[in-house]
Amino acid sequence: MPLPVRLCLLLAALFATGCGERDAASAPAAPTPTDDLGRAVAVAPPVGRVLTLAPNLTEILFAAGGGAALVGASQADDFPAEVAALPRYGTYPLDLEAVVALRPDLVLATNQVNNPDDARPLAEAGVPTYFFSFETLDDVQRALRRVGELVGTEARADAAADSFETRLQRLAARTDSLARPRTLLLIGDETLFAFGSASYTQQMIALAGGESVTAHFDGEAVTLSDEFVLEAAPDVIVGTFGADTDAARLLALHPAWASVPAVAAGRVHSVDPDLVLRPGPRLADGTETLARLLHPVAFGDPSGGGTL
């Protein structure tokens, strides 16, 4: 081989090798994800096998395009339909043996449902846990994007987060100029569990065009008295009661409420609990449902919305 050719090949080889070493040495290390509890989670995205410890996280994972990574489902998971075929495990208390047996690369949890102490035995078993916290509707968008980063489906996750935000913005534009009925959102109809100022449900009521009568209470949750409801005099009562509860049952449980405007006007409604109590992408459906109940005429149902 002529000397000039050999020299060129040698220089090319040295250059290529040098560049490769320089790239590897200078390439920034992937940042360690930090979860909503401020914990550094020892995981290198994208991960291939995921488990969730709460149904809302399962819904977020699927909406973010990572459903194929889910290798099991908790006993409470029922949406989307794909979870029906997955092996099950308990989360209350955590069935550590069943979870570890599914060999997840990462477990997703939320401090609103799961015990942060569960992360320790999982870590000892070699399974990192990423905790989410949901205090606002923005937290749902943020969780969608973060899950997309963790499982490598960023584009799909960003689209889901953008769609969620767009639906809420459009709804706010429709309700912005409407009168705001005083609204009581209840979790149960017998014991009066409701929501405080730190709950994302306050944003749902506001976007739906209502004025929450419990927005001034501190914290995420509050237990109300019959007397409070009488004094608050809500125009509309919406509960995550399930299909069997209506105004008649509510009045039977709380006979003093006959004079409450919502009861007197028959504006007591029940919504699907999963659309309100699971902080995930279906909160957009729940917020739109609230808007139809609070403003039946504006949303094309002059009969008053009816009990769902």
Side-chain angles (χ1 to χ4, degrees), residues 2-289:
L3 180 60
V5 175
R6 282 188 290 162
L7 181 58
C8 288
L9 291 175
L10 177 60
L11 289 174
L14 288 173
F15 179 79
T17 302
C19 287
E21 288 175 348
R22 182 165 58 251
D23 287 348
S26 61
T32 301
T34 301
D35 69 7
D36 289 350
L37 301 185
R39 303 163 53 252
V41 181
V43 64
V47 297
R49 298 174 65 85
V50 177
L51 289 179
T52 62
L53 300 186
N56 68 311
L57 295 170
T58 300
E59 297 188 21
I60 286 173
L61 179 62
F62 272 89
L70 192 69
V71 294
S74 76
Q75 293 174 340
D77 279 306
D78 57 9
F79 188 91
E82 288 92 326
V83 301
L86 295 173
R88 298 282 172 159
Y89 48 85
T91 58
Y92 312 103
L94 180 66
D95 187 344
L96 180 64
E97 184 176 351
V99 168
V100 173
L102 291 169
R103 299 180 291 107
D105 300 318
L106 176 67
V107 167
L108 304 180
T110 170
N111 63 329
Q112 271 98 6
V113 175
N114 310 116
N115 187 346
D117 290 342
D118 287 341
R120 182 183 52 79
L122 284 168
E124 291 172 350
V127 181
T129 306
Y130 190 106
F131 269 85
F132 290 91
S133 187
F134 299 93
E135 298 178 358
T136 70
L137 294 177
D138 285 346
D139 289 333
V140 175
Q141 297 178 52
R142 189 170 50 80
L144 284 164
R145 298 184 199 279
R146 173 58 88 181
V147 167
E149 293 166 358
L150 291 170
V151 301
T153 57
E154 290 93 336
R156 176 78 176 275
D158 287 345
D162 291 344
S163 175
F164 181 78
E165 181 180 19
T166 298
R167 288 179 64 183
L168 294 180
Q169 288 177 341
R170 287 176 177 170
L171 185 64
R174 290 189 67 179
T175 62
D176 184 55
S177 61
L178 301 177
R180 294 186 172 268
R182 291 174 59 75
T183 303
L184 173 59
L185 181 59
L186 290 172
I187 301 173
D189 61 1
E190 190 162 357
T191 300
L192 301 176
F193 296 121
F195 302 94
S197 59
S199 169
Y200 61 84
T201 59
Q202 300 296 346
Q203 289 178 285
M204 294 176 68
I205 295 171
L207 290 169
E211 177 189 349
S212 172
V213 299
T214 63
H216 61 287
F217 286 104
D218 293 333
E220 291 185 80
V222 61
T223 303
L224 305 176
S225 65
D226 279 354
E227 290 73 20
F228 170 83
V229 178
L230 286 169
E231 294 176 2
D235 301 306
V236 183
I237 296 175
V238 181
T240 57
F241 302 145
D244 297 331
T245 297
D246 56 20
R249 172 179 162 85
L250 198 64
L251 189 57
L253 292 169
H254 308 279
W257 290 9
S259 62
V260 172
V263 176
R267 301 196 66 185
V268 176
H269 308 284
S270 182
V271 297
D272 182 345
D274 294 346
L275 302 185
V276 176
L277 303 182
R278 290 186 182 183
R282 288 198 292 166
L283 288 186
D285 297 330
T287 309
E288 291 168 355
T289 299

